[in-house]
């Protein structure tokens, strides 16, 4: 019933995934009663429409030969995935509770367990298994060992003949990154031209695509907006499975779930996927799975603020950064320029056991003096400071495309003699993990005059600006207008930062 | 392609919504190229599988008679929704850009606009419309007026004959609530038995179902867990459209979207929907639409903490409260007991222009002395206090099932002579809207010794506990164990609150 299954199964049919066999337990029961209450579509016809081969097993309770035959049939179909619809009775064998909703979500209870044992003629103790069952299944141990030995010999031969390919293959299996991979990341000196971080992101992807054989990903039908298609990649399709660009279509939820699957398949596969940041909500369920299951998926989320302009509030992220900073075990990185984008990719690639969100701008941003890859690796750091002894009069904190606002405000305040520090808080989660000494060196407890600026909700910023400080942001939904006008209307400006700083120091 | 469409269309087919006619613009183009890249399923067969009638219009560009005939055919089919698949050319008439991806997401540009006008023989100025077009469409003005007059006469007759029914009908059209509706809400004196707030919620729904004719809703296949089925409601089904309980199946995203549709239909319809709080992410996209579009949907979200126990981290909300407190224009209410549950429903029913999330417990909670409906209506309030002059030594703040932890800790601290205040911060958004005087009377700025306790992430609590205070919560995913054990392991306990309070006052 869940929509994500239709998204994923539509793609499986499109790609003709002939190795995929899904057994569908058709027991006609749901939590609230029989499925006739809520689910009367023809599953067979829907899957045929999606390009699947469909087999029906009439007796999934005891029809073992029928199930075996269905699997054989499915294996023989090489150009389509197969759905085996297996008609079963939920709680089969339980004399009083079989085929009831109570079996679906509740325990049988000791009386019904006893009655079921009796009914099925099962005389063994709990957790005891019969010797013949053990023997039957143990046959796989020796069979598996000999298959593995065969494979090892074959691979040793392959390695002799194709040294480079074998090294690449092993790196994908082990997850060990090639040496000096991070040297490939582009650099963006302060004098280089202004550029959107979605474009600096593209340069990073182009570079990494060449050195990381396990990098694979794509976009939910926005690759030319997300700038997420590396120049060396071709499309992954039925007839071109070697392609590393996956066209997901407008299916965000399945996209994230598929990336989880790729991450779990092998530690050296590094999946990324892309859409607009405002659409991230559509895949949040699968992203929670990334975080909980430690899948190092990289989420390339562009158009990360009201600066998308005329498309209006539906397309303008407001609460999204905050909503993911709330989630455990996921990094939310919002780079301010090219250098920080390179740093963000370095962090993301190194974090193979937790997912990363890259929040990237649609609009051009200048390369800022003082940003650094090393700074990004610490989550937050000092971009500029004209004070001494770790005692600035005010600390201005920015992220992403608003860091330049903090920088400009500091420049102006310094002209009138103020001692200002600018901090880039590019990744809160990583900053929190730094030593107390380091955090104190960036945000000294004694300096309570702090102003933050970010084009999103101020929720959560109290952690860094404290009771006396001021968070400049947008605590309502956006609007449709040119980006410059919106920043003015919502008060996310150099002037607002200067006024807030003057008011508290 | 989006999964939500399959969820919604599966329900439309199941319910046999014969009045529903969907025109599907089949232009074979997406942002990243032709749809053959990503979408090769048979849409016709899929919709037939979902129980729809399907009509195909071959020429959607100029085949006006074909389109009219298709709509007539669709209207004649009364027992099924109809999909009219209309084959069109995107950017039809633009000589150089028709049938290209550039038309999909970009403006034509003045040169191509000019060429298109020429190509289509359109000689009028921009925004000018021909007189014959105006006349053709203006025929609806007089037709509509006479239809309305007819209806008004018919309704006046109805009103004379069926006074009560007419009153009910008008209340749904106007959104005016019946007088004294809130008197129906159940009361829960402190001496009444402990009860889960999902159960006190059920008592509220039972009461409101009797007095609010526009109340309509249901659950995503969890009604017996969410306790969301009012005793007077029968199921809404194809043959029983008068039923007010909607069985949504396991389709959270469509459920929320359908509730938005119901809210938009008429101001007197009050839609609610239910699932576990941990599953709220599946429908977050549609909930953002509720918030942005001012649809007063009530989200009944039960099993709101690690107290769900053995089901484990996938079913245990951790970041969810925080992630919705980030979202503009939506109320997140987490009642502590029966009285606060009644207050929460009162707030939710009165908020017809913004949605409400009710976060409700699976486990029993005691009825707490000092909770009140009026308190809930202010978002946060003092539950108990043994200090004087608005100067407690420590303020203990709790929400939902953890308020009792704050209450117990305060009792213990008072026994050793401490001056303690307990605050219930049941709805942050509404508390923020109170006057500065009121907020100061609850959380005086001068009292910086504050401890909060909530079984979720501490992210955002800095707003209320400040720099010197301490937020007790859970900043990691949950685990599978009995609820009592989990509270101990994660340190959400009376002992932890007392220790934190002693450390800062």
């Amino acid at each position: 019933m869940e929509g994500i299954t239709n998204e994923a199964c539509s793609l499986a049919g499109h790609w003709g995934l002939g190795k995929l066999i899904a057994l569908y337990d058709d027991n006609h029961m749901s939590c609230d009663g029989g499925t006739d209450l809520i689910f009367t579509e023809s599953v067979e016809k829907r899957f045929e429409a999606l390009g699947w081969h469909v087999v029906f097993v009439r007796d999934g309770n005891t029809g073992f030969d029928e199930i075996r035959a269905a699997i054989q049939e499915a294996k023989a179909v090489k150009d389509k995935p197969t759905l085996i619809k297996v008609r079963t009775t939920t709680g089969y064998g339980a004399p009083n509770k079989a085929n009831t909703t109570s079996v679906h979500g509740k325990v049988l209870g000791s009386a019904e367990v006893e009655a079921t044992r009796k009914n099925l003629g099962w005389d063994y103790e709990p957790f005891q298994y019969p010797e013949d069952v053990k023997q039957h299944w143990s046959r796989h141990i020796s069979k598996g060992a000999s298959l593995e030995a065969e494979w090892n010999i074959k691979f040793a031969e392959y390695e002799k003949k194709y040294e480079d390919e074998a090294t690449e293959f092993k790196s994908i299996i082990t997850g060990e990154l090639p040496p000096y991979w991070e040297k490939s990341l582009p650099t963006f000196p302060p004098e280089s031209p202004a550029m959107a971080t979605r474009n600096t992101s593209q340069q990073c992807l182009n570079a990494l695509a060449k050195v990381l054989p396990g990098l694979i990903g794509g976009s939910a039908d926005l690759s030319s907006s997300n700038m997420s298609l590396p120049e060396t990649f071709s499309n992954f399709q039925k007839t071109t499975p070697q392609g590393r660009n996956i066209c997901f279509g407008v299916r965000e939820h399945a996209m994230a779930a598929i990336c989880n699957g790729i991450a779990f398949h092998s530690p050296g596969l590094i999946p990324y996927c892309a859409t607009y940041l405002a659409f991230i909500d559509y895949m949040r369920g699968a992203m929670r799975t990334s975080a909980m299951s430690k899948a190092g998926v990289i989420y390339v989320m562009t158009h990360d603020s009201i600066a998308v302009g005329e498309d209006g509030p539906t397309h303008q992220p407001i609460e999204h950064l905050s909503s993911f900073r709330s989630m455990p075990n996921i990094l939310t990185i919002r780079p301010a320029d090219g250098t920080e984008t390179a740093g963000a990719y370095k962090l993301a690639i190194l974090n193979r056991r937790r997912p990363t969100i890259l929040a990237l701008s649609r609009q051009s941003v200048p390369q800022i003096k003082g940003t650094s890859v090393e700074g990004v690796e610490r989550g937050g750091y000092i971009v500029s400071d004209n004070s001494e002894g770790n005692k600035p009069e005010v600390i201005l904190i920015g992220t992403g495309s608003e860091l330049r606002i903090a920088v400009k405000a500091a420049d102006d305040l310094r002209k009138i003699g103020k001692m200002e520090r600018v901090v880039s808080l590019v990744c809160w989660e990583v900053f929190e993990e730094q030593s107390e000494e380091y955090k104190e060196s960036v945000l000294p407890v004694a300096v309570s005059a702090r102003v933050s600026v970010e084009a999103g909700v101020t929720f959560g910023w109290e952690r860094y600006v404290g009771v006396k400080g001021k968070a400049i942001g947008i605590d309502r939904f956006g609007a449709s207008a040119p980006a410059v006008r919106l920043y003015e209307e919502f008060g996310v400006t150099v002037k607002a930062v200067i006024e807030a700083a003057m008011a508290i120091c």
Side-chain angles (χ1 to χ4, degrees), chain A:
Chain A
M1 284 182 259
E2 294 278 11
I4 186 176
T5 63
N6 198 73
E7 292 181 7
C9 294
S10 173
L11 279 171
H14 170 72
W15 289 327
L17 302 182
K19 286 185 183 169
L20 179 62
I21 303 172
L23 287 113
Y24 163 50
D25 180 8
D26 183 36
N27 65 31
H28 290 209
M29 201 50 69
S30 69
C31 281
D32 280 353
T35 52
D36 54 342
L37 266 177
I38 43 176
F39 189 58
T40 47
E41 68 184 58
S42 166
V43 172
E44 298 97 306
K45 283 189 188 158
R46 175 153 67 93
F47 274 78
E48 280 166 5
L50 298 177
W52 286 54
H53 180 70
V54 178
V55 189
F56 182 37
V57 169
R58 242 155 278 265
D59 175 14
N61 298 323
T62 58
F64 306 117
D65 290 336
E66 208 183 337
I67 296 170
R68 281 189 202 98
I71 294 173
Q72 284 311 316
E73 180 181 331
K75 281 183 172 175
V77 177
K78 308 269 188 211
D79 61 340
K80 284 178 177 189
T82 297
L83 181 81
I84 305 178
K85 177 176 150 164
V86 189
R87 184 76 178 88
T88 63
T89 305
T90 190
Y92 173 78
N96 308 303
K97 294 197 176 176
N99 204 29
T100 67
T101 55
S102 97
V103 180
H104 186 102
K106 296 193 185 102
V107 292
L108 277 181
S110 56
E112 185 72 357
V113 166
E114 208 39 62
T116 307
R117 290 168 163 279
K118 211 172 163 187
N119 186 34
L120 293 173
W122 188 264
D123 298 327
Y124 303 92
E125 292 301 304
F127 298 101
Q128 190 199 347
Y129 49 86
E131 195 53 37
D132 57 342
V133 169
K134 187 180 173 184
Q135 278 180 14
H136 182 70
W137 285 100
S138 299
R139 75 194 192 280
H140 290 296
I141 297 173
S142 56
K143 198 178 164 191
S146 83
L147 283 170
E148 189 186 352
E150 266 175 50
W151 188 88
N152 284 335
I153 291 165
K154 200 170 169 183
F155 185 71
E157 284 165 9
Y158 178 82
E159 203 169 7
K160 269 185 213 152
K161 249 176 144 168
Y162 307 103
E163 198 180 334
D164 290 353
E165 287 83 349
T167 304
E168 190 176 301
F169 183 71
K170 280 195 291 188
S171 113
I172 288 176
I173 285 186
T174 61
E176 201 182 316
L177 295 169
Y180 312 117
W181 65 272
E182 75 272 21
K183 301 278 180 212
S184 73
L185 284 167
T187 55
F188 301 88
E191 60 277 13
S192 51
M195 204 182 287
T197 54
R198 62 172 167 155
N199 291 98
T200 55
S201 163
Q202 186 179 36
Q203 294 192 23
C204 292
L205 281 172
N206 279 338
L208 293 171
K210 289 173 195 152
V211 296
L212 298 176
L215 191 75
I216 179 168
S219 169
D221 193 36
L222 287 171
S223 65
S224 54
S225 287
N226 300 141
M227 313 307 281
S228 61
L229 171 55
E231 58 199 358
T232 50
F233 279 12
S234 58
N235 287 344
F236 170 85
Q237 291 286 4
K238 192 171 183 171
T239 53
T240 53
Q242 72 279 15
R244 288 201 270 157
N245 179 59
I246 305 176
C247 302
F248 288 104
V250 194
R251 302 179 182 96
E252 295 84 5
H253 205 178
M255 173 169 78
I258 289 167
C259 284
N260 284 337
I262 293 172
F264 295 145
H265 183 269
S266 198
L269 290 178
I270 303 177
Y272 64 92
C273 65
T275 185
Y276 293 159
L277 181 58
F279 300 166
I280 201 168
D281 287 344
Y282 300 139
M283 55 183 176
R284 192 174 167 103
M287 294 178 75
R288 189 174 203 243
T289 303
S290 309
M292 192 182 289
S293 308
K294 301 178 183 169
V297 178
I298 302 172
Y299 293 94
V300 179
M301 302 288 104
T302 70
H303 297 58
D304 74 342
S305 75
I306 50 163
V308 305
E310 289 82 350
D311 274 356
T314 54
H315 285 49
Q316 291 167 350
I318 292 289
E319 71 279 22
H320 302 81
L321 295 168
S322 175
S323 81
F324 277 96
R325 286 175 184 147
S326 303
M327 188 181 276
N329 204 47
I330 188 165
L331 303 181
T332 302
I333 314 184
R334 188 161 185 253
D337 63 4
T339 301
E340 285 202 352
T341 308
Y345 271 97
K346 188 174 174 192
L347 255 184
I349 298 291
L350 288 172
N351 270 278
R352 292 296 80 229
R353 299 281 286 161
R354 61 180 162 180
T356 296
I357 296 164
L358 304 178
L360 302 165
S361 78
R362 171 182 187 250
Q363 78 276 29
S364 273
V365 288
Q367 310 306 327
I368 293 171
K369 201 179 154 196
T371 57
S372 71
V373 170
E374 298 70 34
V376 176
E377 290 185 280
R378 309 201 79 158
Y381 64 104
I382 299 170
V383 172
S384 70
D385 195 350
N386 66 330
S387 71
E388 276 175 28
N390 204 23
K391 281 181 191 159
E393 286 174 87
V394 183
I395 303 175
L396 306 181
I397 313 171
T399 78
S401 50
E402 287 74 65
L403 183 62
R404 65 169 165 174
I405 293 179
V407 167
K408 180 71 173 64
D411 285 349
D412 290 358
L413 286 163
R414 284 169 193 152
K415 280 179 197 153
I416 55 166
K418 296 281 174 189
M419 299 294 150
E420 302 287 325
R421 171 177 296 180
V422 176
V423 167
S424 170
L425 212 56
V426 59
C427 179
W428 295 18
E429 297 82 8
V430 167
F431 182 70
E432 289 299 323
E433 291 167 5
Q434 303 304 305
S435 68
E436 288 307 317
E437 290 76 8
Y438 178 75
K439 284 191 269 187
E440 172 67 16
S441 77
V442 177
L443 296 176
V445 170
V447 182
S448 61
R450 303 175 181 187
V451 179
S452 70
V453 57
E454 183 175 74
V457 289
T458 59
F459 187 88
W461 271 104
E462 290 89 349
R463 175 175 298 175
Y464 299 113
V465 300
V467 178
K468 290 189 186 161
K470 163 101 176 155
I472 292 173
I474 306 166
D475 289 311
R476 44 154 290 181
F477 289 116
S480 173
V484 173
R485 169 96 193 273
L486 289 172
Y487 272 86
E488 283 294 328
E489 292 280 342
F490 290 125
V492 182
T493 58
V494 173
K495 185 163 164 268
V497 173
I498 290 173
E499 280 174 6
M502 296 296 282
I504 55 179
C505 76

